[in-house]
């Protein structure tokens, strides 16, 4: 069985875009693959965090993974900082990464632009991301379009290490969903939906209540012609809403276009709001069962134990390949 790894940062409640582009896909993937799902809290500290808020977000994200359908009997769910091999392997891979490669990362350029003081971690976290993936012999990494560059670096580092030291890493492939991989902002459909957007109307979180969802959908940017038709170039706002509708309800884009032929955006948005509310309600119900429960802690304890076992085996191989530490003594 092939292995999949995916990690999400605990930096606020995840959005509808995260759900459609990632988590909804994960529930299907765990039926066919050996899946590792990670709350990547060490990535979150590349920028300043409030410690109490970070702790809250870590637990909340873990609960949402399960509420969205991740089955701990089929998948391994764990917190990155509870598996020390990630940071250790990240340092090793940092030492085979070139500064020029890191400076070319578009996310580093975007996040550091115009800032006087930028943490070294913001520059060097791609090797940690590579470690996250490579420690588990990962075959496939499901990511959005914006992470393709980081995955390409991961592939390069795996090949570089294999060629220079020892052929121990599986070189992972990128898996990008064909539909809904990139859900766009409700207020600016030319940019990705993001929980860090300063405009609260631009995104829907999985913990928004029905009234908030309805209000955000109804205020979503469309255009002036009033025709519900998928045309990403000329009608990006409507196309984005159609993609969301299609994935959550299971109807094709063509079926939706026919359904709303001759109808205005009011009917379309009203129905879409209800579709989103219906899709999110079971997630919210399960989330509130889990968030303060011992069940969640038990799941995370088991996940950390399993992840540590697998990650430490690969870390030992990495250290041995590079000549780190002492040679193992023969037992008498």
């Amino acid at each position: 069985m092939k292995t999949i790894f995916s990690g999400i940062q605990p930096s606020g409640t995840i959005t509808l875009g995260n759900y459609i582009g990632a988590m909804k896909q994960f529930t299907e993937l765990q039926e066919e693959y050996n899946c590792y799902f990670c709350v990547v809290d060490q990535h979150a500290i590349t920028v300043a965090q409030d410690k109490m808020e970070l702790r809250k977000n870590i637990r909340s994200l873990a609960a949402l993974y399960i509420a969205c359908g991740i089955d701990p009997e089929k998948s391994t769910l764990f917190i990155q900082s509870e598996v020390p091999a990630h940071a250790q392997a990240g340092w090793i891979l940092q030492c085979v990464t070139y500064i020029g490669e890191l400076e070319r990362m578009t996310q580093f350029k975007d996040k550091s632009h115009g800032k006087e003081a930028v943490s070294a971690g913001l520059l060097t976290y791609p090797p940690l991301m590579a470690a996250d993936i490579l420690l588990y012999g990962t075959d496939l990494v499901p990511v959005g379009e914006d992470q393709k560059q980081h995955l390409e670096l991961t592939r390069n580092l795996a090949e570089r290490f294999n060629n220079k030291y020892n052929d121990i890493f599986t070189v992972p492939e990128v898996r990008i969903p064909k539909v809904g991989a990139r859900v766009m902002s409700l207020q600016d459909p030319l940019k990705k939906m993001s929980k860090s957007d300063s405009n609260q109307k631009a995104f829907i979180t999985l913990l928004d209540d029905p009234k908030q969802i309805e209000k955000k959908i109804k205020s979503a940017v469309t255009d002036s012609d009033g025709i519900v038709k998928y045309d990403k170039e000329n009608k990006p706002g409507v196309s984005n809403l159609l993609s969301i509708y299609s994935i959550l309800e299971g109807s094709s884009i063509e079926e939706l276009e026919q359904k709303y032929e001759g109808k205005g955006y009011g009917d379309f948005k009203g129905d879409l709001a209800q579709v989103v509310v219906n899709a999110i309600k079971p997630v919210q119900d399960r989330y509130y069962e889990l968030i303060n429960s011992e069940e969640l802690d038990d799941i995370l304890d088991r996940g950390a134990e399993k992840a540590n076992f697998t990650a430490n085996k690969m870390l030992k191989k990495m250290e041995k390949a590079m000549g780190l530490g002492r040679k193992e003594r023969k037992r008498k």
Side-chain angles (χ1 to χ4, degrees):
M1 183 181 287
K2 289 190 174 183
T3 296
I4 276 180
F5 179 93
S6 182
I8 297 178
Q9 285 195 39
S11 53
T13 304
I14 63 173
T15 69
L16 184 66
N18 299 129
Y19 176 66
I20 289 174
M23 286 189 159
K24 195 169 186 296
Q25 322 278 336
F26 295 165
T27 60
E28 299 161 10
L29 294 173
Q30 69 183 348
E31 303 298 331
E32 303 174 45
Y33 298 93
N34 175 32
C35 292
Y36 288 87
F37 298 118
C38 183
V39 178
V40 289
D41 54 343
Q42 289 172 322
H43 286 293
I45 62 170
T46 57
V47 295
Q49 300 282 346
D50 176 271
K51 69 176 184 180
M52 299 307 292
E53 192 70 17
L54 180 59
R55 279 267 167 87
K56 176 185 169 186
N57 288 341
I58 289 168
R59 190 174 185 85
S60 178
L61 177 55
L64 278 170
Y65 262 113
I66 301 164
C68 287
I70 296 306
D71 184 346
E73 298 301 318
K74 298 176 181 176
S75 301
T76 304
L77 173 65
F78 67 101
I79 297 167
Q80 183 187 31
S81 62
E82 295 180 1
V83 183
H86 284 250
Q88 294 169 277
W91 171 252
I92 291 173
L93 291 175
Q94 199 176 127
C95 292
V96 298
T97 308
Y98 308 133
I99 289 178
E101 290 175 311
L102 300 177
E103 290 175 336
R104 286 194 292 273
M105 294 290 113
T106 54
Q107 288 212 3
F108 170 71
K109 291 178 183 178
D110 292 344
K111 291 181 179 180
S112 62
H113 182 69
K115 293 183 180 178
E116 290 183 13
V118 176
S119 80
L122 192 60
L123 175 67
T124 61
Y125 91 80
L128 176 60
M129 179 176 169
D132 298 338
I133 295 163
L134 298 176
L135 280 170
Y136 299 95
T138 303
D139 299 286
L140 294 167
V141 185
V143 294
E145 291 279 354
D146 59 328
Q147 288 292 335
K148 279 179 70 176
Q149 189 186 32
H150 284 156
L151 261 294
E152 196 54 46
L153 178 64
T154 297
R155 288 172 52 81
N156 291 343
L157 293 179
E159 290 171 347
R160 187 177 302 160
F161 191 99
N162 285 348
N163 292 333
K164 192 170 184 179
Y165 299 106
N166 196 4
D167 193 6
I168 61 171
F169 288 137
T170 300
V171 180
E173 298 290 334
V174 179
R175 184 185 189 278
I176 298 176
K178 290 180 181 178
V179 182
R182 194 174 172 87
V183 176
M184 311 307 283
S185 162
L186 298 179
Q187 293 298 310
D188 181 359
L190 298 180
K191 71 177 185 181
K192 184 182 175 185
M193 182 181 284
S194 171
K195 57 195 168 190
S196 61
D197 199 309
S198 58
N199 186 346
Q200 296 292 305
K201 292 181 180 180
F203 60 91
I204 292 169
T205 81
L206 290 190
L207 298 181
D208 281 349
D209 64 45
K211 287 186 178 179
Q212 287 175 306
I213 291 169
E214 184 179 7
K215 192 173 181 180
K216 289 178 180 182
I217 293 287
K218 287 188 174 180
S219 67
V221 169
T222 49
D223 50 53
S224 58
D225 71 12
I227 299 172
V228 179
K229 184 175 176 59
Y230 190 91
D231 182 345
K232 203 170 179 179
E233 187 174 336
N234 299 308
K235 297 169 70 68
V238 176
S239 298
N240 185 43
L241 296 179
L242 276 167
S243 291
I244 293 170
Y245 201 141
S246 173
I247 290 166
L248 294 182
E249 195 192 56
S251 302
S252 70
I253 297 288
E254 292 76 15
E255 286 171 339
L256 292 173
E257 287 176 336
Q258 290 173 9
K259 181 177 180 178
Y260 292 99
E261 188 174 354
K263 296 181 181 179
Y265 292 151
D267 289 340
F268 171 61
K269 286 182 174 182
D271 291 348
L272 173 57
Q274 194 56 51
V275 166
V276 174
V277 168
N278 292 344
I280 287 179
K281 188 180 185 304
V283 173
Q284 293 182 351
D285 291 345
R286 180 65 173 133
Y287 171 86
Y288 289 115
E289 282 179 8
L290 283 165
I291 190 60
N292 294 313
S293 70
E294 287 191 10
E295 180 187 358
L296 179 58
D297 289 304
D298 290 342
I299 290 168
L300 292 173
D301 286 347
R302 292 197 304 271
E305 184 179 357
K306 184 178 176 184
N308 270 298
F309 178 78
T310 304
N312 285 334
K313 285 203 297 184
M314 180 58 79
L315 178 63
K316 290 293 182 188
K317 288 182 181 180
M318 293 172 70
E319 291 174 335
K320 184 178 179 182
M322 291 192 83
L324 292 170
R326 291 180 296 160
K327 199 171 183 179
E328 287 187 19
R329 296 171 71 181
K330 291 183 180 178
R331 294 180 181 178
K332 293 180 181 180

